[in-house]
């Protein structure tokens, strides 16, 4: 029996068959127990001999089973360790980080420049009253921009703002001068889409009200912010223009950064980029509409096209790219 048991043990390869094996030989109904139970049929002299033999075999099998158990346990542990080994030298999985949209980057950069120049940032709503968007800004009743073919009306008195200038009205009514504010956000016009126009675009409005503010302060502020944003070599050009809410008024272009002379695709050889902003001295009528005395206070205002600034800054020749969300384009920023 001992030899058969030892031979059988060699074929056992896992813990559950080892347990079956233990029960088979050492359990209550096991082979060795059977022999002990059958000892009643033996003579007095034979009993201690057989009893001793059975106990010896039992002890030997117990030791062997214990050893086998430890071996099997170790084997299982090693197998697990091998399988679950982590190769720390393997290259990691690439994590794609999101990033700011180029337009938002420019917008934040613009706000930073104006904060540095002592301006305060204020907010204004995208849905505005016709009064704030046109009337209070001295816009004549028959001004073409009021037309339904140019402006998105919600009701007769409510519209999607066509520019950020209504924030001027809100600020002048709320704050006591002197103040310097900027306000950026979305604006809407019934414009046909082309390379430089979109029906939804972004403007940044600036307004400075104090005593003795002149056109020189306006020119200096615009020049400074353009140089801060694009670099010292950037030049500005002020062209006389008309806005109902400023007098005098001007439009501003900046020099074409990538100018290739005569046949330049960006400026058609003029040396000047597309129009970037409108500006001027706040019209006395507008000051009066907001309860300010034009004999005491004066000020300047400007409104810049943020999308166009982004285009000049990053050399983008088509405004559509800013709104199409093509990842091949966006991933370049
Ligand atoms: C205005 O909107 C005036 N409110 C600006 C102003 C403010 C003048 C304060 C004086 C004092 P204008 O319509 O020119 O002006 O627009 C200003 C800028 O917005 C333009 O120079 C241009 O850069 C940008 N812009 C206008 N229309 C579009 C459009 N459809 N798509 C993209 N950018 C546009």
């Amino acid at each position: 029996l001992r030899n058969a048991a030892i031979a059988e043990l060699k074929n056992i390869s896992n813990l559950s068959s080892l347990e079956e094996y233990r029960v088979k030989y050492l359990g209550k109904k096991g082979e060795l127990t059977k022999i002990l139970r059958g000892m009643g049929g033996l003579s007095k002299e034979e009993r201690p001999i057989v009893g001793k033999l059975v106990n010896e075999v039992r002890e030997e099998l117990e030791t062997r089973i214990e050893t086998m158990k430890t071996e099997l346990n170790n084997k299982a542990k090693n197998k697990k360790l091998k399988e679950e080994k982590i190769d720390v030298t393997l290259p990691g999985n690439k994590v794609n980080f999101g990033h700011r949209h180029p337009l938002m980057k420019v917008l934040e950069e613009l706000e930073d420049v104006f904060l540095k120049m002592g301006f305060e940032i204020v907010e204004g709503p995208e849905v505005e009253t016709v009064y704030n968007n046109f009337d209070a800004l001295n816009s004549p009743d028959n001004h073409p921009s009021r037309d339904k073919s140019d402006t998105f009306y919600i009701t007769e008195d409510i519209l999607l703002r066509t520019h950020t200038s209504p924030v001027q009205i809100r600020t002048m009514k709320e704050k006591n001068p002197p103040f310097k504010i900027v306000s950026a956000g979305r604006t809407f016009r019934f414009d046909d889409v082309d390379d430089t126009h979109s029906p939804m675009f972004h403007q940044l409005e600036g307004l400075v009200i104090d005593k003795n503010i002149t056109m020189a302060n306006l020119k200096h502020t615009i020049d400074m912010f353009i140089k801060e944003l694009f670099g010292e070599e950037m030049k500005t050009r002020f062209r006389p223009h008309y806005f109902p809410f400023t007098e005098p008024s001007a439009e501003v272009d900046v020099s074409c950064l990538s100018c290739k002379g005569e046949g330049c695709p960006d400026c058609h050889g003029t040396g000047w980029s597309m129009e970037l902003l409108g500006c001027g001295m706040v019209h006395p009528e507008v000051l009066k509409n907001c309860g300010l005395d034009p004999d005491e206070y004066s000020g300047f205002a400007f409104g810049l096209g943020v999308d166009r600034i982004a285009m000049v800054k990053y050399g983008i020749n088509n405004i559509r790219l800013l709104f199409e969300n093509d990842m091949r384009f966006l991933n370049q920023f």
Side-chain angles (χ1 to χ4, degrees), residues 51-67:
K52 192 172 167 242
L53 208 59
V54 169
N55 276 336
E56 272 171 18
V57 173
R58 167 190 290 276
E59 266 169 36
E60 184 183 359
L61 285 187
E62 271 172 359
T63 321
R64 281 178 187 263
I65 286 173
E66 249 345 277
T67 317

Side-chain angles (χ1 to χ4, degrees), residues 162-165 168 189 191 196-199 201 203 205-206 243 245-246 251 275-280 301-305 307-308 319:
T162 60
H163 50 177
T164 43
S165 297
Q168 288 186 35
R189 285 181 200 177
D191 281 347
T196 55
H197 289 85
S198 159
F201 58 103
Q203 285 191 345
E205 193 80 10
F243 293 108
F245 35 93
T246 45
E251 274 187 342
E275 160 213 329
L276 285 188
L277 65 106
C279 61
F302 55 88
L304 32 123
D307 320 79
R308 298 224 183 139
I319 199 170

Side-chain angles (χ1 to χ4, degrees), residues 55-120:
N55 276 336
E56 272 171 18
V57 173
R58 167 190 290 276
E59 266 169 36
E60 184 183 359
L61 285 187
E62 271 172 359
T63 321
R64 281 178 187 263
I65 286 173
E66 249 345 277
T67 317
M68 184 74 157
K69 206 170 169 181
T70 318
E71 256 172 40
L72 285 176
N73 269 332
N74 280 346
K75 239 190 218 166
K77 201 160 93 188
N78 285 339
K79 192 170 166 232
K80 213 170 161 200
L81 279 176
K82 208 168 181 182
E83 277 169 6
E84 291 176 6
K85 195 165 134 188
I86 297 169
D87 183 352
V88 291
T89 64
L90 279 176
N93 290 333
K94 190 166 177 269
V95 180
N96 279 322
F97 286 107
H99 57 80
R100 307 292 278 157
H101 190 279
L103 203 54
M104 290 303 119
K105 267 180 148 164
V106 167
L107 230 169
E108 281 170 11
E109 202 176 326
L110 280 171
E111 287 182 342
D112 278 350
V113 170
F114 283 110
L115 278 175
K116 264 199 264 177
M117 290 165 74
F119 282 74
E120 182 191 339

Side-chain angles (χ1 to χ4, degrees), residues 105-284:
K105 267 180 148 164
V106 167
L107 230 169
E108 281 170 11
E109 202 176 326
L110 280 171
E111 287 182 342
D112 278 350
V113 170
F114 283 110
L115 278 175
K116 264 199 264 177
M117 290 165 74
F119 282 74
E120 182 191 339
I121 294 173
V122 302
E123 306 254 343
E126 290 169 11
V127 177
E128 258 296 1
T129 59
V130 171
Y131 177 80
N132 282 344
N133 195 86
F134 290 126
D135 301 327
L137 285 165
N138 200 34
S139 161
D141 282 344
N142 59 356
H143 197 274
S145 64
R146 285 186 184 247
D147 208 277
K148 283 199 176 65
S149 60
D150 284 302
T151 298
F152 295 100
Y153 282 90
I154 291 169
T155 67
E156 226 172 81
D157 307 317
I158 308 281
L159 42 68
L160 293 182
R161 66 177 177 186
T162 60
H163 50 177
T164 43
S165 297
V167 182
Q168 288 186 35
I169 303 300
R170 289 175 177 271
T171 313
M172 281 189 271
K173 284 190 167 172
E174 249 172 58
K175 284 186 189 293
N176 290 324
F179 54 77
K180 293 160 82 173
I181 62 102
V182 287
S183 183
R186 280 195 282 193
T187 47
F188 308 84
R189 285 181 200 177
F190 236 110
D191 281 347
D192 285 333
V193 178
D194 65 23
D195 287 354
T196 55
H197 289 85
S198 159
M200 188 282 289
F201 58 103
H202 299 74
Q203 285 191 345
L204 182 137
E205 193 80 10
L207 175 70
V208 173
I209 303 280
D210 202 344
K211 290 177 178 162
N212 304 319
I213 295 288
T214 69
M215 192 82 181
N217 300 122
L218 166 62
K219 269 201 87 181
H220 176 69
T221 304
I222 302 284
D223 272 347
M224 245 176 66
F225 119 78
I226 292 282
K227 287 198 160 54
E228 186 74 30
L229 196 71
F230 294 110
E232 280 298 316
E233 71 281 14
M234 194 61 129
K235 290 195 190 75
T236 46
R237 172 172 78 166
F238 287 68
R239 282 181 288 105
H241 195 70
Y242 167 78
F243 293 108
F245 35 93
T246 45
E247 181 60 33
S249 308
E251 274 187 342
V252 179
D253 314 313
V254 295
S255 41
C256 176
L257 272 186
S258 57
C259 198
K260 296 173 185 68
E262 199 71 354
C264 178
D266 292 334
C267 70
H268 309 289
T270 61
W272 297 97
S273 77
M274 67 196 123
E275 160 213 329
L276 285 188
L277 65 106
C279 61
M281 301 307 293
V282 180
H283 198 288

